[in-house]
Every structure is written in structure tokens, then in C-alpha cells.
Amino acid sequence: MSELTRIPAPDGVAAATQYSHVVMGTGRFVAIAGQLSLDEQGRPVGEGDPAAQARQVFENLRRCLAAAGASFGDVVKLTYFVTDMAHMPAIRAARAEHIPDDRLPAASAVQVAGLVRPEFLLEVEAFAVVAE
């Protein structure tokens, strides 16, 4: 795991409650493409259920990070694409299963009109920094 510094409230910026404003570290940069709620065979998981979709998305992120020799502890940024901001509590709950509150990455949440297929409610991409 890389040594990351998290700054939840830089001088003059309101404190963040569900993310860190700044995360920095030194090491190998890893970009994980936006993950959807697809199982290993490419079948959708949790149609109409944001909690089930979020759990699958975070499992897919975990597997992608592992393939790069990384873990959620190395994640510096998450970007959430959601079809409805009402899905954010389900996403936060799934994230909490993998990332403790004292290690929150920087984050952005973007409401979108739709994703690649209509059954998907959310997509999450990740950036990590892994120690060399």
C-alpha cells in the first residue's frame, strides 16, 4: 500500500464529510475504467436495485485493483456516475464495506441522463497510486 496523505479540509475550503478534498502520494498511477454491475459472465446484477448494483460495482473495482497490484487503500479518487442522486446512500454503504471513513479518497458524483444500457443505475471509476 502506498503512503497517501489525505486533506479533508484545506485552508479556506469547507470540510468534506463523505470524501477527502485532496489525496496525494508517490508511486505508480493506476486508472480503473468505470465499472458497471456486471457479473463474471457479463450479466447485469441487481436490475432496479441500487444497493445490489453498488455491491457488484465495488466487487468489480476490487478485482480490477487487485489485477493492478493495488487495493482500496491505494485509491486516491472515485468518480460516481448515477442516474439518480437518491442512489448515493446505497453507493456509500457499498463503499463503506471496502474503505474506512478515515481513508476516504477524493470523489465526485455526477448525475447523468443514462448509462450505456438502461438497466444500469450507476457506474464508478477509480484512480489509485501504488507504492513502487
Side-chain angles (χ1 to χ4, degrees), residues 79-106:
T79 305
Y80 309 105
F81 301 96
V82 296
T83 57
D84 186 335
M85 283 295 177
H87 302 324
M88 288 305 298
I91 294 169
R92 287 186 198 109
R95 182 199 65 205
E97 294 176 17
H98 298 278
I99 304 172
D101 284 347
D102 66 340
R103 308 241 347 129
L104 292 174

Side-chain angles (χ1 to χ4, degrees), residues 39-60:
D39 68 12
E40 292 180 56
Q41 288 74 41
R43 296 179 302 232
V45 172
E47 192 165 343
D49 182 349
Q53 287 196 19
R55 285 190 302 274
Q56 183 65 47
V57 163
F58 273 87
E59 177 58 20
N60 291 348

Side-chain angles (χ1 to χ4, degrees), residues 7-18:
I7 304 172
D11 289 343
V13 178
T17 57
Q18 293 294 325

Side-chain angles (χ1 to χ4, degrees), residues 29-131:
F29 180 75
V30 176
I32 306 296
Q35 295 298 302
L36 297 164
S37 60
L38 293 170
D39 68 12
E40 292 180 56
Q41 288 74 41
R43 296 179 302 232
V45 172
E47 192 165 343
D49 182 349
Q53 287 196 19
R55 285 190 302 274
Q56 183 65 47
V57 163
F58 273 87
E59 177 58 20
N60 291 348
L61 287 169
R62 184 194 65 74
R63 290 175 178 174
C64 289
L65 288 163
S71 71
F72 280 105
D74 301 309
V75 172
V76 296
K77 175 79 163 59
L78 291 171
T79 305
Y80 309 105
F81 301 96
V82 296
T83 57
D84 186 335
M85 283 295 177
H87 302 324
M88 288 305 298
I91 294 169
R92 287 186 198 109
R95 182 199 65 205
E97 294 176 17
H98 298 278
I99 304 172
D101 284 347
D102 66 340
R103 308 241 347 129
L104 292 174
S108 299
V110 181
Q111 185 167 334
V112 295
L115 294 165
V116 67
R117 293 188 347 216
E119 65 267 32
F120 297 120
L121 304 175
L122 59 112
E123 180 174 339
V124 182
E125 68 180 14
F127 298 102
V129 176
V130 182

